[in-house]
Amino acid sequence: MDQMSQRLDELLEPSVAVLGYELVGVEYLAQGLHSLLRVYIDSEDGITVDDCARVSRQISAVLDVEDPIRGQYTLEVSSPGADRPLFKAKDYERFAGNRVKLKLKVPLEGRRNFKGHLIGINGTEVTLESEDREWLFALQDIEKAQLVPEW
């Protein structure tokens, strides 16, 4: 998670929690005039459009007061979905045993993209079984990771 996303996560988590939701994670994609702030929320009962609207109103107020993002951006509040993104160490622990795909910030043995079964996390090292091999990745080296739905 980059510094801006981590800062936004820390800023928004209390406001999401007070409404009874889990803040799964935050993605901030700086793209000039078309920047995007995507906030993923979840709850034991699942997430509805009304839940997203409620959280959007709440965190919009926080963002207006704290003003952590320069310029204009689009705020999007969403459920994590079946291809749930993994942001935090606890996500890698919680979803151990599931299929995941991940993208590294820098190549490892000439590649950045991996897909396989998540073994788990030990400290800050993520273990993935892929192609009859176990791979170890430092959590900080993972650019993006998400579950691969199995139907």
Side-chain angles (χ1 to χ4, degrees), residues 59-105:
I59 63 177
S60 288
V62 172
L63 293 167
D64 286 347
V65 170
E66 298 293 330
D67 201 22
I69 301 173
R70 285 197 163 140
Q72 296 180 337
Y73 60 92
T74 300
L75 172 62
E76 186 178 288
V77 178
S78 175
S79 73
D83 57 347
R84 180 188 189 105
L86 307 177
F87 291 98
K88 304 167 187 161
K90 69 177 186 173
D91 296 333
Y92 292 89
E93 187 175 308
R94 177 178 174 187
F95 293 103
N98 286 278
R99 287 189 49 77
V100 297
K101 65 180 179 179
L102 57 85
K103 181 177 185 176
L104 301 177
K105 293 176 182 174

Coordinates of all heavy atoms in Angstrom, one line a residue, residues 59-105:
I59 N -17.8 9.7 4.6 CA -16.4 9.9 4.4 C -16.2 11.2 3.5 O -15.1 11.8 3.6 CB -15.7 8.7 3.8 CG1 -16.2 8.3 2.5 CG2 -15.7 7.6 4.8 CD1 -15.4 7.1 1.8
S60 N -17.2 11.6 2.7 CA -17.1 12.8 2.0 C -16.9 14.0 2.9 O -16.1 14.9 2.7 CB -18.3 13.1 1.1 OG -18.3 12.2 0.0
A61 N -17.7 14.0 4.0 CA -17.6 15.0 5.0 C -16.2 15.1 5.7 O -15.6 16.1 5.8 CB -18.6 14.8 6.1
V62 N -15.6 13.9 6.0 CA -14.3 13.8 6.6 C -13.3 14.4 5.6 O -12.4 15.1 5.9 CB -14.0 12.4 7.0 CG1 -12.5 12.2 7.4 CG2 -14.9 11.9 8.1
L63 N -13.4 13.9 4.3 CA -12.5 14.4 3.3 C -12.5 15.9 3.0 O -11.5 16.5 2.8 CB -12.7 13.6 2.0 CG -12.4 12.1 2.0 CD1 -12.9 11.4 0.8 CD2 -10.9 11.9 2.1
D64 N -13.8 16.4 3.1 CA -13.9 17.9 3.0 C -13.2 18.7 4.1 O -12.6 19.7 3.8 CB -15.4 18.3 2.9 CG -16.1 17.9 1.6 OD1 -15.4 17.5 0.6 OD2 -17.3 17.9 1.6
V65 N -13.3 18.2 5.3 CA -12.7 18.8 6.4 C -11.2 18.7 6.4 O -10.4 19.6 6.6 CB -13.3 18.3 7.8 CG1 -12.5 18.8 9.0 CG2 -14.8 18.7 7.9
E66 N -10.7 17.4 6.3 CA -9.3 17.1 6.4 C -8.5 17.5 5.1 O -7.3 17.8 5.2 CB -9.1 15.6 6.7 CG -9.7 15.2 8.0 CD -8.9 15.8 9.2 OE1 -7.7 16.1 9.1 OE2 -9.6 16.0 10.2
D67 N -9.2 17.5 4.0 CA -8.6 17.9 2.7 C -7.3 17.2 2.4 O -6.3 17.9 2.1 CB -8.5 19.4 2.6 CG -8.4 19.9 1.1 OD1 -8.9 19.1 0.2 OD2 -7.9 21.0 0.9
P68 N -7.2 15.9 2.4 CA -5.9 15.2 2.2 C -5.4 15.1 0.8 O -4.3 14.8 0.5 CB -6.1 13.8 2.8 CG -7.6 13.6 2.5 CD -8.2 14.9 2.7
I69 N -6.4 15.3 -0.2 CA -6.1 15.2 -1.6 C -6.1 16.5 -2.3 O -7.2 17.2 -2.2 CB -7.1 14.2 -2.2 CG1 -7.0 12.8 -1.5 CG2 -6.8 14.0 -3.7 CD1 -8.1 11.8 -2.0
R70 N -5.1 16.8 -3.0 CA -5.0 18.1 -3.7 C -5.8 17.9 -5.0 O -5.7 16.9 -5.7 CB -3.6 18.5 -4.1 CG -2.9 19.0 -2.9 CD -1.7 19.8 -3.5 NE -1.2 20.6 -2.4 CZ 0.1 20.8 -2.2 NH1 1.0 20.2 -2.9 NH2 0.5 21.6 -1.3
G71 N -6.6 18.9 -5.4 CA -7.3 18.9 -6.7 C -8.5 18.0 -6.7 O -9.0 17.6 -5.6
Q72 N -9.1 17.8 -7.8 CA -10.3 17.1 -8.0 C -10.1 15.6 -8.1 O -9.1 15.2 -8.6 CB -11.1 17.6 -9.2 CG -11.5 19.1 -9.1 CD -12.2 19.5 -10.4 OE1 -12.1 18.9 -11.4 NE2 -13.0 20.5 -10.2
Y73 N -11.1 14.9 -7.6 CA -11.0 13.4 -7.7 C -12.5 12.9 -7.7 O -13.4 13.6 -7.2 CB -10.2 12.8 -6.6 CG -10.7 13.1 -5.2 CD1 -11.6 12.2 -4.6 CD2 -10.3 14.3 -4.6 CE1 -12.1 12.5 -3.3 CE2 -10.8 14.6 -3.3 CZ -11.7 13.7 -2.7 OH -12.2 14.0 -1.4
T74 N -12.6 11.7 -8.1 CA -13.9 11.0 -8.0 C -13.8 10.0 -6.8 O -12.9 9.2 -6.7 CB -14.2 10.2 -9.3 OG1 -14.2 11.1 -10.4 CG2 -15.5 9.5 -9.2
L75 N -14.8 10.1 -6.0 CA -14.9 9.1 -4.8 C -15.8 8.0 -5.2 O -17.0 8.2 -5.7 CB -15.5 9.8 -3.6 CG -15.8 8.9 -2.4 CD1 -14.6 8.2 -1.9 CD2 -16.5 9.7 -1.3
E76 N -15.4 6.8 -5.0 CA -16.2 5.6 -5.4 C -16.1 4.7 -4.1 O -15.0 4.3 -3.6 CB -15.5 4.9 -6.5 CG -16.2 3.7 -7.1 CD -15.5 3.1 -8.3 OE1 -15.5 3.8 -9.4 OE2 -14.9 2.1 -8.2
V77 N -17.3 4.3 -3.6 CA -17.4 3.4 -2.5 C -18.0 2.1 -3.0 O -19.0 2.1 -3.7 CB -18.2 4.0 -1.3 CG1 -18.4 3.0 -0.2 CG2 -17.6 5.3 -0.8
S78 N -17.4 1.0 -2.7 CA -17.8 -0.3 -3.3 C -17.6 -1.5 -2.3 O -16.8 -1.4 -1.4 CB -16.9 -0.5 -4.5 OG -17.1 -1.8 -5.1
S79 N -18.3 -2.5 -2.6 CA -18.0 -3.8 -1.9 C -16.8 -4.4 -2.5 O -16.4 -4.1 -3.6 CB -19.2 -4.8 -2.0 OG -19.2 -5.3 -3.3
P80 N -16.1 -5.3 -1.8 CA -14.9 -5.9 -2.3 C -15.1 -6.8 -3.5 O -14.3 -7.1 -4.3 CB -14.2 -6.5 -1.2 CG -15.2 -6.7 -0.1 CD -16.3 -5.7 -0.4
G81 N -16.3 -7.4 -3.5 CA -16.7 -8.3 -4.6 C -16.0 -9.7 -4.5 O -15.3 -9.9 -3.6
A82 N -16.3 -10.6 -5.4 CA -15.8 -11.9 -5.4 C -14.3 -11.9 -5.6 O -13.6 -12.8 -5.2 CB -16.5 -12.8 -6.4
D83 N -13.7 -10.9 -6.4 CA -12.3 -10.9 -6.6 C -11.7 -9.8 -5.7 O -10.9 -9.0 -6.0 CB -12.0 -10.5 -8.1 CG -12.7 -9.2 -8.5 OD1 -13.6 -8.7 -7.8 OD2 -12.3 -8.7 -9.6
R84 N -12.0 -10.0 -4.4 CA -11.7 -9.1 -3.3 C -10.2 -8.7 -3.3 O -9.3 -9.6 -3.4 CB -12.0 -9.8 -2.0 CG -11.7 -9.0 -0.8 CD -11.9 -9.9 0.5 NE -11.8 -9.1 1.7 CZ -12.8 -8.7 2.4 NH1 -14.0 -9.1 2.1 NH2 -12.6 -8.0 3.5
P85 N -9.9 -7.5 -3.3 CA -8.5 -7.1 -3.2 C -7.9 -7.3 -1.8 O -8.7 -7.3 -0.8 CB -8.5 -5.6 -3.5 CG -9.9 -5.1 -3.2 CD -10.8 -6.3 -3.4
L86 N -6.6 -7.6 -1.7 CA -6.0 -7.9 -0.4 C -5.0 -6.7 -0.2 O -4.2 -6.4 -1.0 CB -5.2 -9.2 -0.5 CG -5.9 -10.4 -0.9 CD1 -5.0 -11.6 -1.0 CD2 -7.1 -10.7 0.0
F87 N -5.2 -6.0 0.9 CA -4.5 -4.8 1.2 C -3.5 -5.0 2.4 O -2.4 -4.5 2.4 CB -5.4 -3.7 1.6 CG -6.2 -3.2 0.4 CD1 -7.5 -3.6 0.3 CD2 -5.7 -2.3 -0.5 CE1 -8.3 -3.1 -0.8 CE2 -6.4 -1.8 -1.6 CZ -7.8 -2.2 -1.7
K88 N -4.0 -5.6 3.4 CA -3.3 -5.7 4.7 C -2.8 -7.1 5.0 O -3.3 -8.1 4.5 CB -4.2 -5.2 5.8 CG -4.7 -3.8 5.5 CD -5.9 -3.4 6.4 CE -6.5 -2.1 6.0 NZ -7.8 -1.9 6.5
A89 N -1.8 -7.1 6.0 CA -1.3 -8.4 6.4 C -2.4 -9.4 6.8 O -2.4 -10.6 6.5 CB -0.2 -8.2 7.5
K90 N -3.4 -8.8 7.6 CA -4.5 -9.6 8.1 C -5.3 -10.3 6.9 O -5.9 -11.3 7.1 CB -5.4 -8.9 9.0 CG -6.2 -7.8 8.4 CD -7.1 -7.1 9.4 CE -8.0 -6.1 8.6 NZ -9.0 -5.6 9.5
D91 N -5.3 -9.6 5.8 CA -6.1 -10.2 4.6 C -5.4 -11.4 4.1 O -6.0 -12.4 3.8 CB -6.1 -9.2 3.5 CG -6.9 -7.9 3.8 OD1 -7.8 -8.0 4.7 OD2 -6.6 -6.8 3.2
Y92 N -4.0 -11.4 4.1 CA -3.3 -12.6 3.6 C -3.4 -13.8 4.6 O -3.4 -14.9 4.2 CB -1.8 -12.2 3.4 CG -1.6 -11.3 2.3 CD1 -1.7 -9.9 2.5 CD2 -1.4 -11.7 1.0 CE1 -1.5 -9.0 1.4 CE2 -1.2 -10.9 -0.1 CZ -1.3 -9.5 0.1 OH -1.1 -8.7 -0.9
E93 N -3.6 -13.4 5.9 CA -3.8 -14.5 6.9 C -5.2 -15.0 6.7 O -5.4 -16.2 6.7 CB -3.6 -13.9 8.3 CG -3.6 -14.9 9.4 CD -3.3 -14.2 10.7 OE1 -2.3 -13.5 10.8 OE2 -4.1 -14.4 11.6
R94 N -6.2 -14.1 6.6 CA -7.6 -14.5 6.6 C -7.9 -15.4 5.4 O -8.7 -16.3 5.4 CB -8.5 -13.2 6.5 CG -9.9 -13.5 6.4 CD -10.7 -12.1 6.5 NE -12.1 -12.3 6.2 CZ -12.9 -11.3 6.0 NH1 -12.5 -10.1 6.1 NH2 -14.2 -11.5 5.8
F95 N -7.3 -15.1 4.2 CA -7.7 -15.8 3.0 C -6.6 -16.8 2.6 O -6.6 -17.2 1.4 CB -7.9 -14.7 1.9 CG -9.1 -13.9 2.1 CD1 -9.0 -12.6 2.6 CD2 -10.4 -14.5 2.0 CE1 -10.1 -11.9 2.9 CE2 -11.5 -13.7 2.3 CZ -11.4 -12.4 2.7
A96 N -5.8 -17.3 3.5 CA -4.9 -18.4 3.2 C -5.7 -19.6 2.8 O -6.7 -19.9 3.3 CB -4.1 -18.7 4.5
G97 N -5.1 -20.2 1.7 CA -5.8 -21.4 1.2 C -6.6 -21.1 -0.1 O -7.0 -22.0 -0.8
N98 N -6.8 -19.8 -0.3 CA -7.6 -19.3 -1.5 C -6.6 -19.1 -2.7 O -5.5 -18.9 -2.5 CB -8.3 -18.0 -1.2 CG -9.5 -18.3 -0.3 OD1 -10.6 -18.6 -0.8 ND2 -9.4 -18.0 0.9
R99 N -7.2 -19.1 -3.9 CA -6.4 -18.8 -5.1 C -6.4 -17.3 -5.2 O -7.4 -16.6 -4.9 CB -7.1 -19.3 -6.4 CG -6.9 -20.8 -6.5 CD -7.3 -21.4 -7.8 NE -6.9 -20.8 -9.0 CZ -5.6 -20.9 -9.5 NH1 -4.7 -21.6 -8.9 NH2 -5.3 -20.3 -10.6
V100 N -5.2 -16.8 -5.5 CA -5.0 -15.3 -5.6 C -4.1 -15.0 -6.9 O -3.5 -15.9 -7.4 CB -4.3 -14.7 -4.4 CG1 -5.1 -14.9 -3.1 CG2 -2.9 -15.3 -4.2
K101 N -4.2 -13.8 -7.3 CA -3.3 -13.3 -8.3 C -2.7 -12.1 -7.7 O -3.3 -11.3 -7.0 CB -3.9 -13.1 -9.7 CG -4.9 -12.0 -9.7 CD -5.5 -11.9 -11.2 CE -6.5 -10.9 -11.3 NZ -7.0 -10.7 -12.7
L102 N -1.4 -11.9 -8.0 CA -0.7 -10.7 -7.5 C 0.3 -10.2 -8.5 O 0.7 -10.9 -9.3 CB -0.1 -11.0 -6.1 CG 0.9 -12.1 -5.9 CD1 2.3 -11.6 -6.3 CD2 0.9 -12.5 -4.5
K103 N 0.5 -8.9 -8.3 CA 1.4 -8.1 -9.2 C 2.5 -7.5 -8.3 O 2.1 -6.8 -7.3 CB 0.7 -7.1 -10.0 CG 1.5 -6.3 -10.9 CD 0.7 -5.3 -11.7 CE 1.5 -4.6 -12.8 NZ 0.6 -3.7 -13.6
L104 N 3.7 -7.7 -8.6 CA 4.8 -7.1 -7.9 C 5.2 -5.7 -8.4 O 5.0 -5.4 -9.5 CB 6.0 -8.0 -7.9 CG 5.9 -9.5 -7.4 CD1 7.2 -10.2 -7.7 CD2 5.5 -9.5 -6.0
K105 N 5.8 -4.9 -7.5 CA 6.2 -3.6 -7.9 C 7.4 -3.7 -8.8 O 7.6 -2.9 -9.7 CB 6.6 -2.8 -6.7 CG 5.4 -2.5 -5.8 CD 5.8 -1.7 -4.5 CE 4.6 -1.5 -3.6 NZ 5.0 -0.9 -2.3

